[in-house]
Amino acid sequence: MGTIQVVVDADASPNHPPVAKAKAVTVPAGPMCTANASVDDGSFDADNDPLTFVQSPAGPYALGTTSPILLTVTDPKGAFSQATGSVTVVHESGPGITDLTLSPAGP
């Protein structure tokens, strides 16, 4: 009869899923009236595994508010967590004024 060998890894610990945390953010628009932004609010993994972040829909985001944005955080072992946030893109500068002529006020 054959021998069966069982190897047990005493250092193996269970994988903990990451914790996704998302927030609402407001960002200024760029030259094309869009902006990229992250809704991540300190997502983490208790095992200190490196994480992959995916936002859906992905940026760049148009003027106004895009909501909800689903943040999915995944660890290398395939465990994941999700949270929702939003992105508001604002136009911070007004139109430029050129060739302005001032006249004195009348009596």
Side-chain angles (χ1 to χ4, degrees), residues 30-44:
M32 301 300 291
C33 292
T34 62
N36 284 305
S38 170
V39 297
D40 179 49
D41 191 24
S43 300
F44 64 93

Side-chain angles (χ1 to χ4, degrees), residues 3-19:
T3 302
I4 298 175
Q5 181 177 359
V6 177
V7 178
V8 177
D9 185 356
D11 293 329
S13 58
N15 183 43
H16 298 92
V19 176

Side-chain angles (χ1 to χ4, degrees), residues 48-106:
N48 291 319
D49 291 329
L51 298 174
T52 301
F53 297 81
V54 175
Q55 288 185 186
S56 181
Y61 302 101
L63 286 173
T65 300
T66 302
S67 180
I69 295 178
L70 181 64
L71 174 67
T72 303
V73 181
T74 308
D75 73 13
K77 297 172 184 93
F80 69 94
S81 179
Q82 297 178 315
T84 57
S86 65
V87 172
T88 300
V89 178
V90 295
H91 189 52
E92 291 190 335
S93 63
I97 298 175
T98 58
D99 297 325
L100 180 65
T101 303
L102 297 177
S103 300

